[in-house]
């Protein structure tokens, strides 16, 4: 990845005067829910509207996502609000469908980053794409798996790359849902300083009242952006209810954060 300097061009090209913000529900539930949240986020600092449509739940039996139908809802979000869209892809069929529906940003979830087989399959399907591709850290604190995924994608000629730090599983009882292990992300940042680094405080904390503090820590560490799960009725969300914030709270969080982006 010698030419890593070109990696951050996509972010610089957005010309933002604040950190990149990706927000929207954990899961797309219904067309009304998706459009309702998108409309509430339309005139805010949000740059990409996220919604998970293929939901990799750890145990079966929970809501597993609406599937490809959700891509139509995301297209509607773009048509009706002008917002760019983002979703998770976990295999080559997802990639194919997401590209066919012109989703602007694809992210790879923590449960996929652990598998070089699945990453290679996704990389091959994405080969040469000009879409933005963000790689979440693997569920376990293994920097090599994270780096390996980035390198497989870069080798597939995907230039608009970035990473999302969503914390790591632990057997210990902690206040976090997934412990941040900031040092690991900092190591990655030092190895690839030109790779945009986004924090996902929603999955790190698992609790909405901790999101502000973790977001502030990330910005103090010079992260480039935030992915924050946002829902108009968080308590009744079909997945990750405890960690989602309302659009009003998201706007307040963005207003209260001290943004201390260093300019080089
Ligand atoms: C998500 O973003 O909703 C998600 C499933 O995330 P992760 O892969 O970090 O668990
Ligand atoms: Mn979630």
């Amino acid at each position: 990845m010698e030419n890593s300097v070109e990696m951050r061009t996509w972010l610089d090209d957005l010309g933002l005067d604040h950190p990149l913000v990706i927000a929207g529900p954990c899961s797309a539930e219904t067309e009304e829910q998706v459009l309702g949240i998108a409309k509430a986020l339309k005139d805010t600092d949000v740059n990409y509207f996220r919604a998970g449509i293929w939901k990799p739940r750890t145990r079966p039996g929970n809501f597993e996502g609406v599937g490809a139908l959700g891509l139509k809802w995301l297209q509607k979000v773009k048509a009706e609000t002008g917002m760019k869209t983002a979703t998770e892809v976990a295999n080559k069929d997802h990639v194919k469908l997401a590209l066919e529906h012109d989703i602007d940003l694809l992210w790879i979830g923590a449960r996929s980053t652990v598998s070089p087989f699945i990453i290679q399959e996704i990389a091959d399907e994405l080969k040469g794409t000009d879409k933005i591709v963000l790689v979440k850290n693997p569920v376990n604190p293994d920097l090599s798996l994270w780096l390996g995924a980035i390198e497989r994608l870069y080798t597939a000629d995907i230039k608009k790359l970035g990473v999302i730090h969503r914390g790591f599983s632990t057997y210990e009882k902690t206040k976090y849902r997934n412990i941040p292990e900031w040092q690991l992300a900092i190591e990655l940042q030092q190895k690839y300083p030109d790779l945009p680094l986004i924090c996902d405080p929603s999955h790190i904390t698992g609790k909405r009242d901790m999101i502000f503090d973790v977001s502030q820590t990330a910005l103090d560490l010079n992260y480039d952006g935030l992915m924050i799960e946002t829902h108009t009725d968080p308590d009744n969300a079909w997945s990750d209810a405890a960690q989602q914030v309302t659009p009003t709270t998201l706007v307040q969080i963005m207003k209260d954060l001290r943004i201390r982006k260093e300019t080089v």
Side-chain angles (χ1 to χ4, degrees):
M1 308 220 309
E2 319 78 53
N3 298 326
S4 67
V5 85
E6 63 192 278
M7 286 182 168
R8 63 172 317 107
T9 355
W10 67 265
L11 184 60
D12 294 341
D13 286 351
L14 293 176
L16 305 177
D17 60 357
H18 58 79
L20 178 77
V21 185
I22 305 165
C26 176
S27 299
E29 298 164 7
T30 64
E31 184 173 330
E32 295 67 37
Q33 172 248 14
V34 167
L35 285 162
I37 300 170
K39 283 177 185 160
L41 294 176
K42 177 179 181 289
D43 295 316
T44 67
D45 281 346
V46 175
N47 305 107
Y48 287 84
F49 179 81
R50 66 151 280 160
I53 58 177
W54 296 289
K55 296 305 297 179
R57 310 320 299 280
T58 302
R59 312 261 320 256
N62 294 314
F63 175 59
E64 299 253 319
V66 295
L69 173 64
L71 293 165
K72 300 252 182 301
W73 304 344
L74 287 173
Q75 282 188 311
K76 229 170 167 174
V77 165
K78 203 190 296 197
E80 291 187 16
T81 70
M83 293 177 94
K84 292 190 182 134
T85 53
T87 201
E88 173 176 348
V89 289
N91 62 41
K92 65 173 185 324
D93 298 334
H94 296 168
V95 170
K96 202 163 177 290
L97 284 163
L99 294 178
E100 277 168 16
H101 288 79
D102 204 24
I103 302 297
D104 302 289
L105 182 158
L106 314 181
W107 82 83
I108 296 172
R111 290 162 196 76
S112 303
T113 309
V114 290
S115 167
F117 292 108
I118 208 77
I119 293 294
Q120 192 58 54
E121 173 184 311
I122 291 172
D124 290 343
E125 193 66 33
L126 278 168
K127 201 167 175 44
T129 186
D130 61 357
K131 300 293 185 192
I132 297 165
V133 180
L134 304 181
V135 190
K136 285 200 175 196
N137 65 257
V139 279
N140 55 322
D142 183 332
L143 183 59
S144 313
L145 278 173
W146 202 2
L147 292 171
I150 296 159
E151 287 157 0
R152 282 176 198 280
L153 291 158
Y154 190 75
T155 306
D157 206 23
I158 298 154
K159 291 294 183 346
K160 294 184 184 169
L161 271 179
V163 291
I164 302 175
H165 173 207
R166 53 75 84 192
F168 302 89
S169 284
T170 175
Y171 194 59
E172 291 162 40
K173 286 264 162 289
T174 79
K175 62 178 179 171
Y176 297 106
R177 178 177 176 190
N178 292 292
I179 50 171
E181 301 281 17
W182 295 103
Q183 190 50 41
L184 240 132
I186 291 166
E187 250 182 79
L188 182 134
Q189 197 181 33
Q190 284 164 350
K191 191 162 168 52
Y192 294 124
D194 295 315
L195 194 59
L197 174 60
I198 317 291
C199 181
D200 171 348
S202 308
H203 290 88
I204 289 178
T205 64
K207 290 176 215 70
R208 64 181 69 98
D209 60 2
M210 289 169 65
I211 286 179
F212 177 81
D213 286 346
V214 168
S215 301
Q216 187 63 66
T217 302
L219 296 186
D220 291 346
L221 289 169
N222 221 21
Y223 278 45
D224 298 289
L226 299 167
M227 178 189 255
I228 301 182
E229 288 187 339
T230 310
H231 196 294
T232 38
D233 186 7
D235 285 334
N236 292 305
W238 296 3
S239 59
D240 288 352
Q243 70 194 35
Q244 302 204 57
V245 296
T246 61
T248 312
T249 303
L250 178 75
V251 168
Q252 194 60 47
I253 289 173
M254 292 313 298
K255 214 167 132 212
D256 292 344
L257 285 170
R258 275 173 287 116
I259 297 162
R260 211 190 56 188
K261 190 91 192 90
E262 273 165 30
T263 41
V264 192

